[in-house]
Each structure stands twice: as structure tokens, then as C-alpha cells.
Amino acid sequence: MRYSIDHTSAVPLHVQAENLLRQLIAEEQYQNGKNIPNEVDLAEMLGISRTTLRIAINKLVFEGLLIRKKRAGTKVAPGAVSSKSNNWLSFSQEMQLRGIPIRNFELHVSWELPDKNLASFFNISLDTPLLKMQRLRGRPEEPFVLFISYFHPRVGVTPDDDFKRPLYELLEQEHGTIAALSKEEISAIGATELIATKLSVQEGSPILFRKRYVYDQAERPIEYNIGYYKADSFVYTVESTR
Amino acid sequence: MRYSIDHTSAVPLHVQAENLLRQLIAEEQYQNGKNIPNEVDLAEMLGISRTTLRIAINKLVFEGLLIRKKRAGTKVAPGAVSSKSNNWLSFSQEMQLRGIPIRNFELHVSWELPDKNLASFFNISLDTPLLKMQRLRGRPEEPFVLFISYFHPRVGVTPDDDFKRPLYELLEQEHGTIAALSKEEISAIGATELIATKLSVQEGSPILFRKRYVYDQAERPIEYNIGYYKADSFVYTVESTR
DNA sequence: ATAGATATTATGTACAAACATAATAATTTT
DNA sequence: AAAATTATTATGTTTGTACATAATATCTAT
């Protein structure tokens, strides 16, 4: 067995088991509908009791990552993209494009003073400058999305950062800030003049509008991000289990 | 004790305990930060083992309704409005209205033959009639949403069902079908003529469009539901943790 | 009085052991 | 060959038991 449990560790056995199961879930063989080992065997393999193992499995079932069926066994839920590290973006329900090759262009980074809403969200004064990043995504002849991001000064991003890298990777690796919680609001609006120009559409035409509030593990605000998506170009997908 | 457990019932003890706890949670005294009885006492009061009780408590802790703290005891999470029937909807990220009183009107229920997409989703033949339910939500002078639902024949809903009841409660209590998984797609579109008429807006004006695919625990399709939301009336919120 | 030691309390972790039950597989009977 | 019966398998339920641990309360010695 590649996976094993450390009985001398301070980490509870059921937590260790949970982590191992998350690794299992990420394995290709189990993504394809194959049952994970049965409880009795797995408990024995890991050297823990079935009761303890079940605590771990229960949690993942609650999370919707595993599906149990009497006699049939336990398997990974279809669409459970687990993988603890990648979780965030797929879980954060990133917009999905219809197979069109996209890239970023027209990247603008600058310092800007917050308005009242921003200052309130970031809990800073109105004279504290924030880093603002604005970019268009799509193809130059056919832009799809306009993104605008603001970062809390605490994060420490500057115009010198390489914003061509995946954003949450940049925050994590260069600034040690881990995005742990996000709240999003999605609505439809008519394109304003500015947006119409940027996205090359008619004023008033339908736009999918998304706000995203991002927090770190301590629930401190780290980013405010808004996106304007050209209608019909993007679909937002959400999957939820009871 | 007002609450008690039926040891002869086919309903598992931990499920009964879970339900009792949900009632407890709804009680005013516990909404105000008072600890619920401790595990050992409560288990004895209910006549079940502490282990079994913990299965129930665990689930509610996972749902965020209860908060446990060593030595301090277990109390109801602030803002936990429990109520089992509401659970699913809040979990499924139902659209949120801006504090406007709404009701359903113009309810239409009929049998209809599926198109290719519907037949494929439900995995039925093109000549199997499906129950179609269509309704407007909002105020008669100001409709906000147009919903259209199709149900798999297996579910057993008929035009005689009381569609004024919460839908997932109806499915669960009257037809024993539990909605366990939903996939949603959200996009922005311009209002078609039909939608423009129904929602009293101009043709082409921005509409938030949502498709929802609902499955039972065995991942069998049970409902296909689409919604057209008038722009600016609705915001779709999503919260996700890493 | 106050710092420090000690007891208490309620949750946290973990095990072993049974029996129940649903879904399937294997076998027997018609 | 089809239908009915039986066995098997893996999860589902439940109990009893024991010790660990964190937070608080109580007592004790300075």
C-alpha cells in the first residue's frame, strides 16, 4: 500500500483516513466509477477500526465526494473533482467557455483610491490606495469578458507582479496569501456604454455580471473581483449535493 | 420530555435523533446561545447510546447548524434557521430576491412529449409523455421569473398534485423521491418574444437564464427545470470554501 | 489577594462486536 | 429456460466501553 496511517501522530486517525481518502478520490481509476476498497478491508489495510474509518467516509459522503450504496460498495461521485489543491478553482465554479481558445489582453494595473463600498469591504480608510487590475479576456477581435480586481494592501501585490500567471497561484506562492473562501453574486444586466465598448456589443445588450468576494482562512478580505461576461459566451455551472 | 424516540420504528435511531435535534434547534431558548443538553445526558434522555447520538449531532455540525466546543458544550450556530425542508433550497443556492414579497401565479400543468434533449436527459423514448409545470413568480403586475419544470415519469407526479407546496417537499413526502444532486447552468440571454411578454419586458432586454438538472440519490434524473429571471430583480449567490 | 495546583466537565478519539438489510449472485425447483 | 429460493457481500445501525483533552471552576499555598 502506498497510503498508510501513523498511529503515533497527534493527528486523529479519522482525519488521517479522511486525507488518504481524498488522495484516493483523486486517482484516475476511482474517477472512472470503480469502487474504492470495502470498509472492512480498508480498515484492516489502514490498521484502524471500521468505526473510525466510517467517520472519515461519512464526512466525504456529506461533502458529496463519495457515494455509498448497500452491497454495491462505495465509489467516487461523478464530477467530484476533489484533489485538495485544485479544489479551489473548480469548486469556485469558474466560468466555463465553449471550447474557444482564449487569452488575456489589455492588462492594466494601477493604484486607485477605494469608494465607500470597497473601503467597507476591505475595512480600510478612504485614503488607502488599492491595487486595481483590469483585464480583457477572449480574442482581441472578440473579447468575452472584462475583469476588474481590487486587492487588499495586506496581500502585498504590486504592479511588478506577474499577472499573467494564474491569480490564486500568484497570491499563494509569491505572497503567501491563500484564498480560502469566496462569495459570489451573479446577475444579468444590460451593457453600459463602457462595457459595450470594451466587449464590442451594443449598449443594453445582455451581460452576465458577477461579483466575487474572496477571503483568506481567517476570513479576512483579500480580493474583490467583478466580471462582465458577454451573453451566450459563458455559462456558469454549479453542482450541489444534499 | 416532549421529545422522544421510537425504538420500534423502522426509521434509524440516529435519523430520529437528528430530527429531534432539528426541533430543538428551532426552539427559541437555544437560538439565544443556550447550550443544548450535553451528549451523555441527552443520550440517556432519548434512550440511545452516545455514539448514535453523535452520528446525528455530527451531521448537524457538518451542516453548520450546531457548534461544538470542548468542555463548553454544544450550541446552535447563530443564524441557523434549520427547518429540514428549507435545507435543500438554501443549499441549492436558490435565487435571492431583494426583500420583495413574492407569490406564484399563472400555474400551468400539462402532459407533453419530450424533445430530443429532454428524452436524452431522462433516458426515455420520444413518445413517453412528461409532466410539464410552468409558473410565473412575482406579483401579477410585476412578474419576476418564469419557471418551467419537467418531471421523470418514475416520480409519479400528476396534474392533481398540489404544486403550491414547496416542490421538493412535495416530491419527498408525496412521492418518496428525494432530490439529492443538482447541476445548474447560469447564463445571460436577451429576452425572446415569449419571455418578453410573460415578464413584461422589452424584447432583447437582459435575462438571467438558469437550467437545473436534478437527480435522486441513485443519480437518476428526476427533474429538469429552467428559469428566466428578469435582470436586476435577482441575484444568484454562491459561497464556496476551499 | 493572587498565583499555582487540582478537580471537574463535556466533547474528542478509538475500539470491538453484533445484527440488520439491500442488492446481487448462485443455486435449486418448476 | 424461467421462476423461485438461497447464499453472499458490503454497507447500515447500534451498543458498550475506555481513555484523551481542552476549558473552566475550585481549591490551596504563598
Side-chain angles (χ1 to χ4, degrees):
Chain A
M1 266 303 273
R2 289 153 319 220
Y3 305 125
S4 70
I5 281 203
D6 176 9
H7 280 257
T8 69
S9 161
V11 178
L13 301 186
H14 70 83
V15 174
Q16 291 186 52
E18 185 192 325
N19 292 333
L20 293 188
L21 283 168
R22 284 187 200 276
Q23 286 178 247
L24 266 198
I25 287 168
E27 278 185 27
E28 205 155 347
Q29 49 174 329
Y30 298 118
Q31 298 269 353
N32 283 66
K34 190 182 155 196
N35 276 199
I36 66 171
N38 79 64
E39 295 181 357
V40 179
D41 289 354
L42 194 55
E44 203 192 345
M45 280 195 265
L46 299 177
I48 60 175
S49 75
R50 190 181 158 211
T51 320
T52 303
L53 175 62
R54 273 183 72 88
I55 293 174
I57 297 180
N58 272 333
K59 205 167 166 200
L60 297 171
V61 169
F62 284 152
E63 282 186 26
L65 291 175
L66 291 177
I67 291 178
R68 285 211 265 221
K69 227 173 177 178
K70 254 188 204 171
R71 151 80 220 212
T74 302
K75 63 183 174 71
V76 174
V81 201
S82 184
S83 146
K84 217 168 181 178
S85 52
N86 263 336
N87 232 348
W88 169 246
L89 272 188
S90 57
F91 212 83
S92 109
Q93 290 105 10
E94 189 51 67
M95 296 285 168
Q96 275 174 23
L97 200 56
R98 304 205 174 126
I100 305 160
I102 48 168
R103 39 176 280 242
N104 294 313
F105 59 99
E106 219 191 285
L107 177 69
H108 271 121
V109 183
S110 60
W111 294 100
E112 197 170 285
L113 290 176
D115 62 18
K116 260 185 285 183
N117 282 329
L118 272 176
S120 157
F121 168 62
F122 283 128
N123 197 26
I124 55 171
S125 65
L126 288 165
D127 54 8
T128 310
L130 291 170
L131 195 78
K132 175 186 182 180
M133 179 187 70
Q134 179 173 323
R135 64 179 161 195
L136 273 174
R137 225 168 132 83
R139 287 186 305 220
E141 338 79 74
E142 199 190 353
F144 295 126
V145 204
L146 171 63
F147 284 123
I148 300 174
S149 273
Y150 296 90
F151 299 93
H152 192 287
R154 186 189 341 97
V155 178
V157 283
T158 71
D160 294 332
D161 276 298
D162 178 14
F163 287 102
K164 279 160 201 147
R165 294 176 56 185
L167 185 58
Y168 296 104
E169 188 188 299
L170 175 76
L171 295 183
E172 191 162 336
Q173 292 176 7
E174 302 302 323
H175 301 284
T177 298
I178 295 173
L181 171 70
S182 93
K183 298 178 186 179
E184 307 192 61
E185 294 179 5
I186 299 131
S187 55
I189 60 170
T192 62
E193 195 189 331
L194 172 79
I195 297 162
T197 310
K198 289 279 184 196
L199 296 181
S200 316
V201 294
Q202 287 239 310
E203 214 176 312
S205 63
I207 297 290
L208 191 65
F209 176 51
R210 175 191 50 70
K211 295 184 194 177
R212 179 186 294 160
Y213 303 89
V214 184
Y215 305 81
D216 67 9
Q217 293 121 317
E219 279 187 60
R220 298 181 304 182
I222 62 177
E223 188 205 0
Y224 173 68
N225 175 273
I226 55 183
Y228 300 92
Y229 297 79
K230 200 160 148 179
D232 279 18
S233 294
F234 286 90
V235 175
Y236 190 90
T237 60
V238 181
E239 184 169 329
S240 57
T241 21
R242 161 134 92 160
Chain B
M1 269 300 276
R2 288 150 320 211
Y3 304 122
S4 70
I5 282 205
D6 177 9
H7 281 259
T8 68
S9 161
V11 179
L13 301 184
H14 70 83
V15 175
Q16 290 187 53
E18 185 192 324
N19 291 333
L20 293 187
L21 284 168
R22 285 186 199 277
Q23 285 178 248
L24 265 198
I25 287 168
E27 278 186 27
E28 206 155 345
Q29 50 174 326
Y30 297 119
Q31 298 270 353
N32 282 66
K34 190 184 154 195
N35 275 197
I36 66 171
N38 79 63
E39 296 180 356
V40 178
D41 289 355
L42 194 55
E44 203 191 346
M45 278 196 266
L46 298 177
I48 59 176
S49 76
R50 191 184 158 211
T51 319
T52 302
L53 175 60
R54 274 184 71 87
I55 293 174
I57 296 181
N58 272 334
K59 206 166 164 198
L60 297 172
V61 168
F62 190 83
E63 281 185 27
L65 293 175
L66 291 177
I67 292 177
R68 286 210 266 220
K69 227 173 177 175
K70 255 186 201 172
R71 150 81 219 208
T74 301
K75 63 184 174 67
V76 174
V81 202
S82 183
S83 145
K84 203 174 184 177
S85 51
N86 268 335
N87 234 344
W88 165 248
L89 274 188
S90 58
F91 212 84
S92 106
Q93 290 108 9
E94 187 52 69
M95 297 282 168
Q96 275 174 22
L97 201 55
R98 304 204 174 126
I100 305 159
I102 49 167
R103 38 176 281 244
N104 293 313
F105 58 98
E106 220 191 283
L107 177 68
H108 270 121
V109 183
S110 61
W111 294 100
E112 198 169 285
L113 290 176
D115 61 18
K116 261 185 285 182
N117 282 330
L118 273 175
S120 157
F121 169 62
F122 283 128
N123 199 25
I124 55 171
S125 64
L126 288 164
D127 54 7
T128 310
L130 291 170
L131 194 79
K132 175 186 182 180
M133 179 187 70
Q134 180 174 325
R135 65 178 161 195
L136 272 175
R137 226 170 131 83
R139 288 186 304 221
E141 338 80 75
E142 200 190 351
F144 295 128
V145 204
L146 171 64
F147 283 123
I148 301 173
S149 273
Y150 295 90
F151 298 93
H152 193 287
R154 187 192 336 101
V155 178
V157 284
T158 71
D160 294 333
D161 275 299
D162 178 14
F163 286 102
K164 281 161 200 145
R165 294 175 56 186
L167 185 58
Y168 296 104
E169 188 188 300
L170 175 76
L171 294 184
E172 190 162 339
Q173 292 176 6
E174 302 303 323
H175 300 285
T177 297
I178 296 173
L181 171 70
S182 92
K183 298 179 186 178
E184 307 192 64
E185 294 178 5
I186 299 131
S187 55
I189 60 171
T192 62
E193 195 190 331
L194 172 79
I195 296 161
T197 311
K198 289 279 184 196
L199 296 181
S200 315
V201 295
Q202 287 241 310
E203 214 176 311
S205 63
I207 297 289
L208 191 65
F209 176 51
R210 176 191 50 69
K211 295 184 194 176
R212 181 187 292 160
Y213 302 89
V214 184
Y215 305 81
D216 67 10
Q217 293 123 316
E219 280 184 61
R220 298 181 303 183
I222 61 177
E223 187 205 0
Y224 174 67
N225 174 272
I226 55 183
Y228 299 92
Y229 298 79
K230 201 159 147 179
D232 279 19
S233 294
F234 287 89
V235 175
Y236 189 91
T237 61
V238 181
E239 186 170 328
S240 55
T241 24
R242 163 132 91 162

